[in-house]
Amino acid sequence: MNVLLRLLARQRAVAAVVTGALLAVGVALYATLPDQMVIHWNAAGNPDNAVGKAVAVLAMPAVVVFMSVLFEVSGSDLGERIVGSLAMLLLFVVQIMVFAVNLGYDVPIVPITLALAGVVVAAAFWVEYGGE
């Protein structure tokens, strides 16, 4: 198994790094973020859901922790842990884009997220059916 797959197989470590990084970025940006933050966009790329700043900063780290717990209690196999790690990294990228959009940067969040989700799905198939 190559180095990248070995790292991704350490799903708990990936979850800890992603959670810590999300919290660190959220705390660092907190004062500059708007009180209400857009967290969801429709297929056309228009915002369709906003929440308070604290919820927007803390929800994604909570989702990553919840995912990690689910992987632990479900007795996931190696492939599932690798795909779970990729999904957590996707959530990290999405959260960074959410922060950027809410800070006024023009980020095409919907197409980027869809493309990255496609990569995660392709990786899941590769791990399940064609990987090592």
Side-chain angles (χ1 to χ4, degrees), residues 17-108:
V17 168
V18 169
T19 301
L22 287 173
L23 290 171
V25 172
V27 167
L29 295 176
Y30 197 83
T32 61
L33 292 168
D35 290 336
Q36 286 291 305
M37 292 180 55
V38 175
I39 61 163
H40 194 269
W41 290 258
N42 63 23
N46 299 316
D48 63 4
N49 193 9
V51 297
K53 178 174 21 180
V55 172
V57 168
L58 296 174
M60 198 67 84
V63 168
V64 172
V65 169
F66 181 70
M67 283 176 61
S68 184
V69 169
L70 284 179
F71 279 104
E72 290 300 315
V73 300
S74 69
S76 58
D77 66 21
L78 176 65
E80 291 166 339
R81 289 193 311 272
I82 290 170
V83 172
S85 292
L86 288 172
M88 291 175 193
L89 292 169
L90 169 66
L91 293 177
F92 174 79
V93 171
V94 168
Q95 183 71 348
I96 296 303
M97 288 189 298
V98 167
F99 287 151
V101 168
N102 281 281
L103 289 171
Y105 293 95
D106 185 22
V107 178

